[in-house]
Amino acid sequence: MEFILSDTENDKEENTIINNLWKHNSQFTPVDIHPLRVIFQDNNQIQGGLIARTWWGGLDIQYLWITENYRKKNIGKKLMQMAEDEAIKRKCHMAYVDTFDFQAVNFYKKLGYEEYGHLSQFAHRHTRYYLSKQLGI
């Protein structure tokens, strides 16, 4: 028996752990994880995008980024709307995201997301917010 502590990435080990966790979870509810990506390009260059997945009726928004030149031009709103519309097509009834106080809390709130929790003291000075929204209402 041995325990291994590491700070290097290992896709094989990570996939083994994730796949076995989902195998266990599938005994209770079928696992239906599907990637969802919305990309914004200009001149064939990625200028922004959203990376998410849908599963168990939820849109799990993991990353949203827009280059500085395109911020405050409704690009983020369009990316979110496209992701939410696709999630509804996939029979999702909710969406959720987390963000830091220096990122996009107010952006998500303007889109109808409501805070359901937060954690303070990231890097001893930032707050991480957890927000959700009902879809298809």
Side-chain angles (χ1 to χ4, degrees):
M1 186 181 314
E2 106 183 91
F3 293 91
I4 301 168
L5 175 67
S6 175
D7 65 352
T8 58
E9 290 189 37
N10 184 313
D11 289 339
K12 182 180 176 190
E13 291 174 352
E14 188 172 315
N15 287 332
T16 297
I17 292 165
I18 292 169
N19 291 337
N20 280 293
L21 173 62
W22 283 112
K23 182 178 176 184
H24 169 77
N25 290 351
S26 70
Q27 298 173 74
F28 305 96
T29 301
V31 175
D32 62 345
I33 301 172
H34 300 283
L36 194 158
R37 203 171 55 250
V38 185
I39 303 298
F40 168 64
Q41 292 186 136
D42 192 16
N43 294 318
N44 292 320
Q45 297 292 318
I46 294 176
Q47 301 296 326
L50 180 147
I51 298 171
R53 63 176 74 159
T54 57
W55 60 287
W56 286 357
L59 170 62
D60 180 1
I61 302 159
Q62 299 172 325
Y63 300 99
L64 174 63
W65 166 79
I66 301 159
T67 190
E68 199 70 39
N69 303 2
Y70 287 97
R71 291 185 187 163
K72 305 207 186 289
K73 296 184 179 180
N74 287 321
I75 303 297
K77 182 178 179 180
K78 178 67 174 171
L79 294 170
M80 289 291 294
Q81 187 61 59
M82 291 176 71
E84 289 175 5
D85 289 348
E86 177 61 24
I88 291 168
K89 288 178 189 172
R90 296 180 185 191
K91 310 270 190 267
C92 291
H93 61 277
M94 66 176 169
Y96 53 95
V97 65
D98 66 86
T99 188
F100 286 98
D101 52 13
F102 60 88
Q103 290 177 321
V105 177
N106 291 327
F107 166 78
Y108 292 114
K109 287 182 177 181
K110 286 178 186 174
L111 296 178
Y113 286 75
E114 296 178 358
E115 179 184 337
Y116 65 87
H118 64 270
L119 288 173
S120 301
Q121 296 301 309
F122 276 82
H124 302 289
R125 61 184 176 168
H126 298 295
T127 301
R128 187 174 190 174
Y129 292 91
Y130 298 87
L131 304 111
S132 67
K133 175 181 178 178
Q134 295 299 307
L135 298 177
I137 298 174

